[in-house]
Amino acid sequence: MIGMYRRRERLLSTENKSKPVIVSFEQSRMDGGFTSSVSASACVEAISKHPLNSLLVSSGFARTFGLTFPATLPLVVQLSTASKHAVPSWNRTVVCSVLEALRAGADAVALQLAIGNEFEEKMLQDFGAVSEEAHSYGLPVILSIFAKGERIVQEYDRALIADSISLGSELGADIIAVPYSGHEESFAQAVDESSAPVLLMGTHGATNFDSYCKSVEEGLACGAEGVIVPFQILPPEEQTAGLERIQSVATLPEESQKEDV
């Protein structure tokens, strides 16, 4: 298990006194509000111009573009996915094994768990199997938890997000990723009580890039360890500038930097 903890630390550590910013090309289909027709080449170009902490991609993306990125850039390979035409759209299926992710250069693996629907049980079983295999190879598992289904009235409900963080802890996820609920007190409490680092993911229901950056800033202030940025949320003609803005939002206050010294 030592290898798992070392790799997790590398994913979360930064050299520029900021919280980690992980760009996800694979999460482009997770929630609406922004175009999902993003170009892989545009992603590669933007990332090559801006230093990142890590990149979350599919195994196919990792195999195709892995040598394009610096060897020091950790790759997180998403094992479960679905097309935008899936019925229902929140049903995630494991399409890549842990061994295949390793062959593609993975430093960690990721799974998506949609709760509150009839496919939740299957996805929980997938996590149990994948987590055991990943840990046997010393790979950390990032579990992205989001609420989708007919019984979900408000997917960003503060109690629902807090329960998602608690569930991630109970499942033994190495890193938990959830949307920001928008309720500072309950979110901060859930993050503080979590047994694993919590990252922000998804668009948090934002309708534009400005509101997304504001929600990221609030979520990080509540104690979230970092943010997984869906690539499609970046302004189409200004991806590099968008990444720089999010990086500035993730920069720790000067007081925190002094405490780390």
Side-chain angles (χ1 to χ4, degrees):
M1 293 293 285
I2 294 177
M4 186 280 291
Y5 290 118
R6 286 177 59 85
R7 290 185 178 91
R8 183 176 70 175
E9 185 62 25
R10 285 202 295 268
L11 286 175
L12 300 177
S13 298
T14 63
E15 297 180 354
N16 56 356
K17 295 299 181 181
S18 70
K19 293 190 175 183
V21 174
I22 302 173
V23 169
S24 170
F25 185 71
E26 178 58 22
Q27 286 190 326
S28 296
R29 296 181 296 275
M30 283 194 62
D31 43 18
F34 296 84
T35 178
S36 60
S37 58
V38 292
S39 163
S41 59
C43 179
V44 172
E45 181 181 1
I47 292 169
S48 66
K49 295 179 180 178
H50 185 80
L52 297 173
N53 298 110
S54 55
L55 182 64
L56 194 158
V57 296
S58 65
S59 60
F61 189 104
R63 288 196 305 271
T64 304
F65 299 103
L67 293 178
T68 304
F69 306 115
T72 54
L73 177 67
L75 290 180
V76 181
V77 173
Q78 183 70 258
L79 303 184
S80 61
T81 190
S83 77
K84 62 181 180 181
H85 307 292
V87 180
S89 60
W90 54 81
N91 182 19
R92 295 294 186 262
T93 301
V94 175
V95 296
C96 177
S97 68
V98 173
L99 276 176
E100 178 62 19
L102 274 170
R103 286 192 288 266
D107 297 280
V109 295
L111 280 177
Q112 300 169 350
L113 169 62
I115 62 173
N117 58 76
E118 64 271 30
F119 298 99
E120 179 182 320
E121 180 180 0
K122 174 182 72 70
M123 284 181 267
L124 285 170
Q125 292 173 343
D126 289 340
F127 173 79
V130 165
S131 180
E132 180 180 6
E133 185 181 7
H135 287 167
S136 72
Y137 294 109
L139 290 179
V141 181
I142 299 177
L143 181 62
S144 296
I145 306 176
F146 55 101
K148 294 285 186 180
E150 296 178 357
R151 288 171 289 183
I152 302 300
V153 178
Q154 172 51 264
E155 59 186 282
Y156 301 107
D157 177 76
R158 62 185 184 184
L160 191 56
I161 299 298
D163 286 344
S164 296
I165 295 175
S166 177
L167 175 61
S169 295
E170 293 175 8
L171 290 173
D174 304 308
I175 299 175
I176 303 165
V178 295
Y180 176 54
S181 64
H183 189 268
E184 296 180 10
E185 184 177 353
S186 63
F187 191 82
Q189 181 178 351
V191 169
D192 183 62
E193 294 175 352
S194 175
S195 62
V198 176
L199 303 180
L200 304 172
M201 69 93 179
T203 62
H204 317 155
T207 58
N208 55 58
F209 186 62
D210 287 338
S211 59
Y212 171 76
C213 290
K214 179 64 176 177
S215 68
V216 169
E217 182 176 15
E218 293 177 357
L220 294 178
C222 290
E225 293 284 346
V227 56
I228 300 176
V229 182
F231 185 76
Q232 88 278 12
I233 207 168
L234 301 174
E237 304 301 325
E238 301 176 338
Q239 282 103 347
T240 302
L243 283 173
E244 291 175 351
R245 179 175 175 183
I246 294 173
Q247 188 70 65
S248 68
V249 168
T251 300
L252 296 171
E254 188 173 342
E255 293 76 11
S256 299
Q257 296 184 28
K258 291 179 180 179
E259 292 176 0
D260 292 339
V261 176

